[in-house]
Amino acid sequence: MYAITIPEPGGPEALVWDEVPDPVPGEGEVLVEVTAGAVNRADLLQRQGFYDPPPGASPYPGLECSGRIAGIGPGVSGWNVGDEVCALLAGGGYAEKVAVPAGQLLPVPEGVDLKQAAALPEVVCTVWSNVFMVAHLRPGETLLVHGGSSGIGTMAIQLAKAVGARVAVTAGTKEKLERCAELGADILVNYREQDFVEEVRKATDGAGADVILDNMGAKYLERNVRALAVNGRLAIIGMQGGVKGELNIGALLAKRAAVTATSLRARPREEKAAIVAAVREHVWPLFAGGRLRPVVDRELPMPEAATAHRVVEESGHIGKVLLITPRSAADTA
């Protein structure tokens, strides 16, 4: 098979479409013939040499994919060759085939085509596990999403609205904020021109946000705590603004607030399987009802992964960027 390899860490040009050995599904795994993979910022870090795959994972980038089951390893039940699926991966989505633990598979949701299903597993599992399983967002509460036009952001808006929450977002352009509004965002903040703390507190009559989903890390830490409501919960999922910040414990105590930080890729298989099962139970029916949809900015051939990385690096997209395997592109041409 062919896959995107990284012979040496570097810029987007470090991504090389090359022939590699086919994966073999082990105990509890299935082999997926990949239709599409999606680009995540973690892939950019891996390409630069800063985010190695967990031990035993595929060395190729790609944390989610869609495709058809091509083989079933020992100890797997409930899945059949030919099933259309999407999958949460620890790596290997930028390839023609990938071996996936069966507990990390999801059927393609009703109303979503096979290619666009690749945009769902990582973002839905990240949002559901952080905003709902950890931060326990409830109907009537306010969620602040930083990077509202990103893949994570566009799904967080939709899921929060589906459960009856109010949503505030930050983004850097008028176009991105308009797209967030189309998805249901109530409070729109241009972070280049406005202070999100002031805007969120103004829009909530001084109360603040009950839950904040943060991709920035250190840069926003102090302001995020100020933006929290009493009993608020700050869920940190990224470090785009640095890794070291100062936390005012007094401000946190005064608000009886909580700060959590999680990652998905390095979790044990059992934890990932539990998140995937919860997503299938609680989120997948919302796609069938038309209340959720994948937001895809563009589709590119998988050998052009370097172009896709440049788009994501420059934040020149809204939602997800997909990579389509050559065989799948030929089948739909």
Side-chain angles (χ1 to χ4, degrees):
M1 72 168 189
Y2 278 80
I4 290 291
T5 64
I6 310 173
E8 295 289 338
E13 67 282 354
L15 301 174
V16 178
W17 183 246
D18 201 1
E19 192 166 10
V20 298
D22 283 17
V24 177
E27 180 75 27
E29 295 183 334
V30 303
L31 182 67
V32 174
E33 185 174 82
V34 175
T35 296
V39 179
N40 290 279
R41 287 196 175 272
D43 305 333
L44 277 59
L45 292 175
Q46 180 175 339
R47 186 203 74 219
Q48 295 165 342
F50 300 136
Y51 193 20
D52 292 334
S58 169
Y60 316 123
L63 301 182
E64 55 192 340
C65 74
S66 63
R68 296 179 178 86
I69 294 179
I72 296 178
V76 175
S77 61
W79 298 100
N80 298 295
V81 170
D83 285 349
E84 293 190 344
V85 296
C86 53
L88 179 70
L89 308 172
Y94 292 21
E96 292 183 316
K97 297 176 184 177
V98 63
V100 186
Q104 293 166 220
L105 284 179
L106 288 156
V108 173
E110 184 180 334
V112 177
D113 74 34
L114 182 58
K115 285 191 296 184
Q116 295 212 341
L120 297 176
E122 176 75 12
V123 297
V124 177
C125 288
T126 297
V127 173
W128 188 258
S129 61
N130 284 279
V131 175
F132 296 94
M133 296 176 73
V134 175
H136 302 291
L137 180 70
R138 294 182 287 268
E141 291 191 323
T142 297
L143 169 69
L144 169 60
V145 182
H146 291 301
S149 63
S150 67
I152 294 287
T154 53
M155 183 52 60
I157 294 167
Q158 295 180 78
L159 270 174
K161 295 301 292 184
V163 302
R166 192 181 186 198
V167 181
V169 297
T170 63
T173 70
K174 179 181 178 182
E175 178 194 6
K176 289 183 176 182
L177 289 171
E178 287 174 348
R179 291 293 300 276
C180 292
E182 291 171 3
L183 293 170
D186 306 284
I187 305 162
L188 310 175
V189 182
N190 186 325
Y191 67 80
R192 300 182 192 277
E193 301 172 356
Q194 298 169 292
D195 180 349
F196 70 80
V197 179
E198 292 181 5
E199 296 302 320
V200 169
R201 295 187 67 83
K202 185 194 309 179
T204 57
D205 295 325
D210 300 287
V211 175
I212 299 176
L213 184 63
D214 175 58
N215 60 353
M216 294 300 292
K219 183 178 180 179
Y220 278 8
L221 181 59
E222 185 270 335
R223 283 191 288 165
N224 276 333
V225 172
R226 286 199 285 122
L228 280 175
V230 173
N231 295 314
R233 291 86 73 195
L234 168 60
I236 301 173
I237 59 169
M239 303 175 291
Q240 292 180 42
V243 299
K244 293 184 179 180
E246 186 170 297
L247 179 62
N248 185 330
I249 301 299
L252 207 63
L253 285 169
K255 293 189 174 183
R256 302 187 296 280
V259 178
T260 61
T262 71
S263 65
L264 191 55
R265 186 181 198 180
R267 288 183 186 233
R269 286 187 177 186
E270 296 77 13
E271 290 186 20
K272 291 181 183 177
I275 292 169
V276 168
V279 162
R280 184 171 182 176
E281 177 183 358
H282 298 290
V283 181
W284 250 225
L286 299 176
F287 285 100
R291 299 177 70 186
L292 299 180
R293 61 181 176 87
V295 178
V296 175
D297 186 274
R298 67 193 75 185
E299 300 174 1
L300 295 168
M302 193 169 284
E304 297 178 21
T307 299
H309 274 221
R310 290 187 184 98
V311 170
V312 173
E313 248 170 2
E314 295 166 2
S315 295
H317 64 296
I318 295 173
K320 300 300 289 279
V321 175
L322 299 186
L323 296 171
I324 312 301
T325 56
R327 182 182 305 169
S328 300
D331 290 344
T332 57

